Amino acid sequence: MNIISHDSERPNIPRPGVASEQLRSTALLFVALIAGMAAIGLVLLANSDQPVGPSEISDCASITAQAERLACFDELARQPALQPFKGATAPALHPAR
């Protein structure tokens, strides 16, 4: 009986450390994803107490009852005007000729 063992005939068995490293990195990625989603949820929860009201004229225009529509427009008019972002109203560097 002649048994010849070649390295090419051995099954390809991964090293014990490789699989655990992949599992560890996958678990770390999953934890980071869950932590990110939790952070976004906390931000949304913190901002959820802001008053909800009309934001555009079309929101008020779609109301059919006159008294409610007028109250909506009044509430819309009381809201402070949005400020443009910094630099939006800066003068042009090179005026048009």
Side-chain angles (χ1 to χ4, degrees), residues 46-97:
N47 290 331
S48 66
D49 63 344
Q50 294 179 353
V52 176
S55 60
E56 296 182 357
I57 292 177
S58 62
D59 294 339
C60 297
S62 63
I63 299 174
T64 56
Q66 287 184 344
E68 290 178 25
R69 185 172 56 243
L70 180 59
C72 180
F73 281 121
D74 288 344
E75 184 179 341
L76 190 61
R78 278 189 230 110
Q79 293 177 359
L82 297 175
Q83 298 296 321
F85 62 90
K86 186 176 181 178
T89 58
L93 295 177
H94 301 287
R97 295 181 186 192

Side-chain angles (χ1 to χ4, degrees), residues 5-78:
S5 175
H6 296 288
D7 287 338
S8 62
E9 292 178 4
R10 251 188 237 172
N12 190 9
I13 301 172
R15 296 184 324 228
V18 174
S20 64
E21 286 178 25
Q22 285 180 331
L23 183 62
R24 212 173 304 146
S25 64
T26 302
L28 182 62
L29 180 64
F30 182 72
V31 167
L33 182 65
I34 295 298
M37 293 171 93
I40 290 172
L42 288 174
V43 168
L44 291 174
L45 184 64
N47 290 331
S48 66
D49 63 344
Q50 294 179 353
V52 176
S55 60
E56 296 182 357
I57 292 177
S58 62
D59 294 339
C60 297
S62 63
I63 299 174
T64 56
Q66 287 184 344
E68 290 178 25
R69 185 172 56 243
L70 180 59
C72 180
F73 281 121
D74 288 344
E75 184 179 341
L76 190 61
R78 278 189 230 110

